[in-house]
Amino acid sequence: MFTLQLSDTHEMIRDTARQFARDEVAPSTIDRDKNGIFPTEIIKKLGELGFLGMMVSPEWGGSGLDALSYVLAMEEISAVDASVGVVLSVNNSLVCWGLETYGTDAQKEKWLRPLATGQIHGAFCLSEPEAGSDATSQHTTAEKVDGGWSLSGTKNWITNGTTAGTYLVMAKPELRDSSLDSRRTSSVFVPATRAR
Ligand SMILES: Cc1cc2nc3c(=O)[nH]c(=O)nc-3n(C[C@H](O)[C@H](O)[C@H](O)COP(=O)(O)OP(=O)(O)OC[C@H]3O[C@@H](n4cnc5c(N)ncnc54)[C@H](O)[C@@H]3O)c2cc1C
């Protein structure tokens, strides 16, 4: 039988997440679930604990931890409230990871640092009414226009959709060159325009 040996750091992260889940998340879980309330204060506190950019390099304001640390924290938070867990996973995995891996330094300075430190949280916009598992059949397009890009399409089921500070939107570039793969997808950062 395989037994996982946790380091002192892993145990500390697991215990911190467990205690936070019990003390800060559990008391309001039922109320938020029944009334559809976003856990704004909880996410803010998780950001202060460094849980919004767990695997992001300290260079960009993250905690610089490994995947096991992230999984341990996710387990503890999600065991108490899966909705809080999915807010964390989207920010850590879908938004921060992609940005740190593929973004430019200018994009990281502008977006990754506030995302990793919990000043804002992000949304990852891929699914569409007719494009879930088969994401390549999405219809949203990104067209280069004077001064930037014009996006056109509809996204569904977006975690953090009403609260995010920035949206990482998947779109198909308008392909004028027919030799390019028509399944090609681009990622575009769209800043939130609502008052926060
Ligand atoms: C809690 C939650 C949070 C989410 N957050 C986000 C988010 O932040 N951003 C985002 O973009 N999306 C998000 N989604 C959407 C999610 O990614 C989609 O629901 C998912 O991709 C599945 O798409 P669908 O619901 O259209 O189902 P479909 O793709 O229509 O699938 C329906 C069923 O058919 C099965 N199926 C599909 N294709 C095949 C196949 N080829 N062979 C066999 N079986 C198949 C599937 O397994 C499933 O059981 C979220 C969903 C949930 C539940």
Side-chain angles (χ1 to χ4, degrees):
M1 195 177 108
F2 174 73
T3 310
L4 183 64
Q5 285 294 329
L6 297 180
S7 68
D8 289 349
T9 306
H10 290 135
E11 286 190 358
M12 183 197 65
I13 287 160
R14 182 199 58 198
D15 294 348
T16 303
R18 185 172 292 174
Q19 192 173 350
F20 185 90
R22 281 185 190 159
D23 296 349
E24 304 280 347
V25 181
S28 54
T29 292
I30 303 289
D31 180 51
R32 279 183 286 103
D33 200 39
K34 275 187 180 161
N35 296 301
I37 298 168
F38 187 85
T40 307
E41 282 308 308
I42 290 171
I43 296 303
K44 201 170 147 219
K45 286 181 186 170
L46 284 167
E48 286 160 7
L49 281 175
F51 281 21
L52 287 193
M54 291 192 75
M55 293 188 292
V56 173
S57 157
E59 182 190 351
W60 299 109
S63 302
L65 294 164
D66 61 5
L68 180 56
S69 307
Y70 172 45
V71 169
L72 289 167
M74 280 297 299
E75 271 188 347
E76 296 299 331
I77 302 288
S78 303
V80 168
D81 190 327
S83 297
V84 175
V86 80
V87 175
L88 278 190
S89 72
V90 164
N91 199 75
N92 275 284
S93 303
L94 297 180
V95 183
C96 286
W97 181 84
L99 180 52
E100 186 166 24
T101 307
Y102 298 108
T104 63
D105 279 2
Q107 288 170 328
K108 290 177 194 176
E109 191 58 52
K110 185 167 184 184
W111 299 118
L112 185 56
R113 196 177 296 285
L115 285 164
T117 52
Q119 292 165 52
I120 58 170
H121 54 271
F124 178 87
C125 311
L126 173 63
S127 300
E128 298 184 4
E130 290 164 14
S133 308
D134 182 10
T136 58
S137 65
Q138 66 171 296
H139 290 108
T140 298
T141 55
E143 188 180 7
K144 189 98 178 81
V145 293
D146 276 352
W149 289 83
S150 173
L151 298 185
S152 177
T154 302
K155 297 293 181 181
N156 277 42
W157 309 295
I158 305 304
T159 301
N160 305 340
T162 57
T163 56
T166 186
Y167 297 79
L168 185 54
V169 181
M170 306 304 126
K172 286 187 168 181
E174 291 275 278
L175 296 176
R176 307 205 191 289
D177 180 352
S178 58
S179 67
L180 292 175
D181 185 346
S182 63
R183 292 169 303 173
R184 210 171 69 149
T185 297
S186 294
S187 305
V188 183
F189 266 100
V190 180
T193 50
R194 87 188 89 80
R196 287 198 301 279

